[in-house]
Amino acid sequence: MSASRTTSTEPVTYERRGPLAVVTMNRPKYRNAQNSAMTYALDQAFYRAADDNEVKVVVLAGKGEHFSAGHDIGTPERDAHLPFERKSGLWWDHSDKEGAESRFARESEVYLGMCRRWRELPKPLIAQVQGACVAGGLMLAWVCDLIVASEDAFFADPVVRMGIPGVEYFAHPWVMPPRIAKEFLYTGDRMTAQRAYEIGMVNRVVSRDELSQKTVELASRIAEMPRMGLALTKRAVNQAEDLQGLHAGMDSVFGLHHLAHAHNAETAKDSLGGMDVKAMKKGAGA
């Protein structure tokens, strides 16, 4: 059973279950909204799983009713202004900069940079999704190789309400057909787990009561495969996606994303377009 476990007071917990590592976001009070402390804790957990020779497969979960309601834009523990030790790239510290220089540096690190590196974790990564998987939550699910969702799970990217063309890790046209991606973004509506399964974004839909069990069963089955075979297969499929334009497409949209931030900073109350948690919940929130 569990070979190691972190404490329940940390923003992310880590548990070994034989050949599986279960990484769990642990801010259920805030629907697992991702502040920087959580993001860097996730990074540490994935490094830990990569370095552990006994771990064959990693499961990413969220404690409580929801997988993740997205980036933290309004909890008492929001820490976007604080410096953290940078690991994803060579951009300078954002915390003592202003304007686009600050925003671009931070989001290159904690959003696009982190997600890109997690996608390349050389071990299968499975998302176990229940409840809300919104905006930044999508980014975490989409870097995973497989997604198992509960029947009550829903997916949404409502940031067009901010005047922003989708979240920073812009995988939309690769994880769903382009016309579905446009509808998903234009409306900001929730997509049910069943609909996500029908378009190929989700691998399996199960009852909430069976979610953990079914995810572990799938992960355990995959863990029977040779480690090197799994790593090379993952690299092969990821390379195929990149040849289809995923990597370059994200770079181009990241620039549009920051154009939107800059426009909002000039025309609205702030770079988020003046949207608060209550406004973001409208129609799509948890």
Side-chain angles (χ1 to χ4, degrees):
M1 291 300 292
S2 173
S4 59
R5 185 191 297 263
T6 51
T7 67
S8 60
T9 59
E10 297 173 356
V12 170
T13 64
Y14 183 102
E15 181 183 0
R16 268 282 308 282
R17 300 182 190 176
L20 310 183
V22 180
V23 176
T24 305
M25 292 176 282
N26 189 35
R27 299 185 75 207
K29 179 180 178 180
Y30 302 116
R31 302 178 179 89
N32 293 318
Q34 304 157 32
N35 59 4
S36 293
M38 172 183 280
T39 303
Y40 281 92
L42 281 171
D43 198 51
Q44 284 186 326
F46 291 141
Y47 265 119
R48 181 175 176 181
D51 287 340
D52 190 335
N53 286 331
E54 300 303 315
V55 169
K56 299 284 289 295
V57 180
V58 184
V59 173
L60 175 62
K63 185 176 181 179
E65 293 299 306
H66 301 284
F67 177 74
S68 176
H71 295 143
D72 187 343
I73 63 172
T75 83
E77 297 168 14
R78 187 170 189 245
D79 53 10
H81 63 291
L82 298 178
F84 285 80
E85 182 182 358
R86 299 177 304 285
K87 298 180 181 179
S88 291
L90 296 175
W91 275 94
W92 44 74
D93 175 28
H94 74 283
S95 64
D96 59 350
K97 310 299 188 299
E98 295 182 352
E101 184 180 17
S102 175
R103 289 190 299 271
F104 196 91
R106 178 175 185 270
E107 294 190 2
S108 294
E109 164 76 6
V110 297
Y111 295 159
L112 185 58
M114 291 281 194
C115 284
R116 276 181 163 166
R117 194 172 70 237
W118 298 340
R119 174 177 175 257
E120 298 302 322
L121 175 72
K123 297 179 180 181
L125 180 56
I126 303 177
Q128 176 182 300
V129 178
Q130 80 283 3
C133 183
V134 174
L138 290 172
M139 294 167 56
L140 297 185
W142 286 347
V143 301
C144 295
D145 304 294
L146 305 177
I147 301 175
V148 180
S150 64
E151 294 169 336
D152 66 344
F154 64 90
F155 305 84
D157 188 356
V159 302
V160 176
R161 292 195 176 102
M162 299 175 171
I164 297 172
V167 290
E168 295 83 356
Y169 185 84
F170 194 85
H172 306 65
W174 288 270
V175 300
M176 61 183 82
R179 284 191 176 86
I180 302 298
K182 288 178 180 178
E183 179 183 4
F184 186 69
L185 288 162
Y186 290 170
T187 65
D189 289 345
R190 297 180 179 187
M191 178 182 288
T192 66
Q194 182 59 35
R195 178 61 169 155
Y197 175 77
E198 291 168 356
I199 66 170
M201 191 173 81
V202 163
N203 296 87
R204 300 184 182 184
V205 179
V206 301
S207 70
R208 170 70 80 100
D209 291 343
E210 294 182 311
L211 178 61
S212 178
Q213 174 191 339
K214 294 297 184 181
T215 305
V216 167
E217 286 177 0
L218 177 59
S220 298
R221 181 179 177 187
I222 293 170
E224 296 173 1
M225 294 290 191
R227 178 176 60 192
M228 189 62 171
L230 290 170
L232 294 178
T233 301
K234 177 168 182 171
R235 174 60 64 89
V237 177
N238 282 2
Q239 286 176 341
E241 283 189 306
D242 288 337
L243 288 170
Q244 293 166 354
L246 175 62
H247 193 281
M250 283 190 185
D251 279 340
S252 65
V253 179
F254 193 62
L256 297 177
H257 183 96
H258 281 275
L259 172 61
H261 275 319
H263 177 73
N264 286 340
E266 289 193 31
T267 62
K269 294 180 180 179
D270 57 43
S271 62
L272 296 180
M275 299 294 283
D276 56 19
V277 175
K278 182 178 179 181
M280 288 302 294
K281 282 183 180 181
K282 183 181 178 182

